[in-house]
Amino acid sequence: MIVKKRTKPLKLMKLEVLNGRIVQNHSKIHLIGSDFAKYQAGFKGEMSLDFYLKDLNEDEYHIFHDLRLPQSSNEQFYFQIDTLIVHSQFCILIEVKNLIGNLYFDHQFDQMIRTRDGVDETFSDPINQVELQKAQFAKWLKLNKFPEIPLHSLVAITNPKSYIRISPKYGKKSQKIIRGNTLVNKINGYVSSEQESVLLKKDLKRLTKYLIREDTPQNPDILRNYSIQREEIVTGVFCPKCKKPPMIRLKRTWLCLNCSGKSSNAHEKALQDYAL
Ligand SMILES: [Zn+2]
């Protein structure tokens, strides 16, 4: 059962608007464009994970997407979990990676190298990332007086075209890296017929309540993050057909000065953009 659905993150919505409305000659236009593309690919990867998770038994598993919880040591800081799966015997934290190209998990330097079109790009090791989240989640559970429950962590590679290589020195840790299509088997494999339930119905109810209550979606000040001034944003109503400004208001309609397209409600999108 999906308890918390995945929705388009505010940060992605804001990046999308900024990408569409930044003045054309701006020095940061490429940075914003590539950040937007990365976030969008990440979100698509997370969405594609949902496709595999639908095979899990609805009654046994409770799924929470995209959680951002306060760190127990410092409530001003948060930790994020792409997907949390709660079962009466255990919880699983899943970090989702949706990267095109060849991926190499490099044990020696705690990094992941992505090679695409002959270009190498390094990322922090996603196993370390999810292990850190696991430690933070364990503290959070303890702080909120939940029973001690086994925690598992996985890194799901959702792009079926990515070629994965893992350093031989990774050892057992490499079992945490899996593809979307083997996810459900892996999860079901954690269920033990001998083990008793750790989370009783009342615990599960309270855990759900706490997770939803403490979840704090990220709402970044995007203009400040990129040091963009208000004057560097193109204002006004954009054409829904050619995606360009400006549109002018005629009687009960908007007219595009580029493509002569007309729209009755193009201002609605402009108002949403303004709010973001
Ligand atoms: Zn137009």
Side-chain angles (χ1 to χ4, degrees), residues 66 117 135 154-155 169 183 188 218:
D66 209 9
D117 302 329
L154 293 171
V155 172
K169 288 191 179 158
L183 186 62
N188 285 327
Q218 194 182 21

PDB file of all heavy atoms in Angstrom, residues 66 117 135 154-155 169 183 188 218:
ATOM      1  N   ASP A  66       9.738   9.722  -0.952  1.00  0.00           N
ATOM      2  CA  ASP A  66      10.244  11.075  -0.856  1.00  0.00           C
ATOM      3  C   ASP A  66      10.032  11.693   0.538  1.00  0.00           C
ATOM      4  O   ASP A  66       9.307  12.661   0.682  1.00  0.00           O
ATOM      5  CB  ASP A  66       9.503  11.915  -1.918  1.00  0.00           C
ATOM      6  CG  ASP A  66      10.355  13.058  -2.414  1.00  0.00           C
ATOM      7  OD1 ASP A  66      11.547  13.090  -2.080  1.00  0.00           O
ATOM      8  OD2 ASP A  66       9.822  13.916  -3.137  1.00  0.00           O
ATOM      9  N   ASP A 117      29.325   8.990 -23.476  1.00  0.00           N
ATOM     10  CA  ASP A 117      29.918   9.611 -24.672  1.00  0.00           C
ATOM     11  C   ASP A 117      31.388   9.969 -24.443  1.00  0.00           C
ATOM     12  O   ASP A 117      31.848  11.045 -24.832  1.00  0.00           O
ATOM     13  CB  ASP A 117      29.136  10.872 -25.082  1.00  0.00           C
ATOM     14  CG  ASP A 117      27.671  10.569 -25.348  1.00  0.00           C
ATOM     15  OD1 ASP A 117      27.376   9.438 -25.793  1.00  0.00           O
ATOM     16  OD2 ASP A 117      26.825  11.442 -25.086  1.00  0.00           O
ATOM     17  N   ALA A 135      21.561   5.103   9.079  1.00  0.00           N
ATOM     18  CA  ALA A 135      22.012   5.430  10.440  1.00  0.00           C
ATOM     19  C   ALA A 135      21.153   6.555  11.019  1.00  0.00           C
ATOM     20  O   ALA A 135      20.780   6.530  12.195  1.00  0.00           O
ATOM     21  CB  ALA A 135      23.482   5.833  10.403  1.00  0.00           C
ATOM     22  N   LEU A 154      19.154  -0.319   0.072  1.00  0.00           N
ATOM     23  CA  LEU A 154      19.407  -0.752  -1.303  1.00  0.00           C
ATOM     24  C   LEU A 154      19.617   0.466  -2.200  1.00  0.00           C
ATOM     25  O   LEU A 154      19.077   1.547  -1.934  1.00  0.00           O
ATOM     26  CB  LEU A 154      18.201  -1.537  -1.849  1.00  0.00           C
ATOM     27  CG  LEU A 154      17.883  -2.894  -1.220  1.00  0.00           C
ATOM     28  CD1 LEU A 154      16.544  -3.407  -1.743  1.00  0.00           C
ATOM     29  CD2 LEU A 154      18.989  -3.904  -1.522  1.00  0.00           C
ATOM     30  N   VAL A 155      20.395   0.272  -3.254  1.00  0.00           N
ATOM     31  CA  VAL A 155      20.536   1.281  -4.300  1.00  0.00           C
ATOM     32  C   VAL A 155      19.910   0.686  -5.558  1.00  0.00           C
ATOM     33  O   VAL A 155      20.360  -0.359  -6.037  1.00  0.00           O
ATOM     34  CB  VAL A 155      22.026   1.622  -4.553  1.00  0.00           C
ATOM     35  CG1 VAL A 155      22.174   2.518  -5.770  1.00  0.00           C
ATOM     36  CG2 VAL A 155      22.634   2.275  -3.322  1.00  0.00           C
ATOM     37  N   LYS A 169      36.627  -5.220  -4.861  1.00  0.00           N
ATOM     38  CA  LYS A 169      36.856  -5.033  -3.425  1.00  0.00           C
ATOM     39  C   LYS A 169      35.591  -4.623  -2.668  1.00  0.00           C
ATOM     40  O   LYS A 169      35.614  -4.450  -1.460  1.00  0.00           O
ATOM     41  CB  LYS A 169      37.952  -3.986  -3.211  1.00  0.00           C
ATOM     42  CG  LYS A 169      39.325  -4.517  -3.572  1.00  0.00           C
ATOM     43  CD  LYS A 169      40.390  -3.588  -3.106  1.00  0.00           C
ATOM     44  CE  LYS A 169      41.757  -4.129  -3.458  1.00  0.00           C
ATOM     45  NZ  LYS A 169      42.760  -3.075  -3.500  1.00  0.00           N
ATOM     46  N   LEU A 183      13.991  -5.952  -7.860  1.00  0.00           N
ATOM     47  CA  LEU A 183      13.706  -5.333  -6.565  1.00  0.00           C
ATOM     48  C   LEU A 183      12.717  -6.129  -5.720  1.00  0.00           C
ATOM     49  O   LEU A 183      12.965  -6.407  -4.541  1.00  0.00           O
ATOM     50  CB  LEU A 183      13.159  -3.917  -6.817  1.00  0.00           C
ATOM     51  CG  LEU A 183      12.938  -3.037  -5.601  1.00  0.00           C
ATOM     52  CD1 LEU A 183      14.243  -2.777  -4.880  1.00  0.00           C
ATOM     53  CD2 LEU A 183      12.326  -1.701  -6.017  1.00  0.00           C
ATOM     54  N   ASN A 188      11.134  -9.419  -1.022  1.00  0.00           N
ATOM     55  CA  ASN A 188      10.437 -10.594  -0.475  1.00  0.00           C
ATOM     56  C   ASN A 188      11.410 -11.546   0.213  1.00  0.00           C
ATOM     57  O   ASN A 188      11.042 -12.265   1.138  1.00  0.00           O
ATOM     58  CB  ASN A 188       9.662 -11.310  -1.573  1.00  0.00           C
ATOM     59  CG  ASN A 188       8.396 -10.548  -1.960  1.00  0.00           C
ATOM     60  OD1 ASN A 188       7.779  -9.900  -1.125  1.00  0.00           O
ATOM     61  ND2 ASN A 188       8.022 -10.610  -3.228  1.00  0.00           N
ATOM     62  N   GLN A 218      11.383  20.001   0.944  1.00  0.00           N
ATOM     63  CA  GLN A 218      12.353  21.065   0.720  1.00  0.00           C
ATOM     64  C   GLN A 218      11.718  22.176  -0.110  1.00  0.00           C
ATOM     65  O   GLN A 218      11.062  21.900  -1.117  1.00  0.00           O
ATOM     66  CB  GLN A 218      13.561  20.480  -0.015  1.00  0.00           C
ATOM     67  CG  GLN A 218      14.750  21.401  -0.010  1.00  0.00           C
ATOM     68  CD  GLN A 218      15.917  20.826  -0.787  1.00  0.00           C
ATOM     69  OE1 GLN A 218      15.727  19.962  -1.626  1.00  0.00           O
ATOM     70  NE2 GLN A 218      17.099  21.311  -0.523  1.00  0.00           N
TER      71      GLN A 218
END
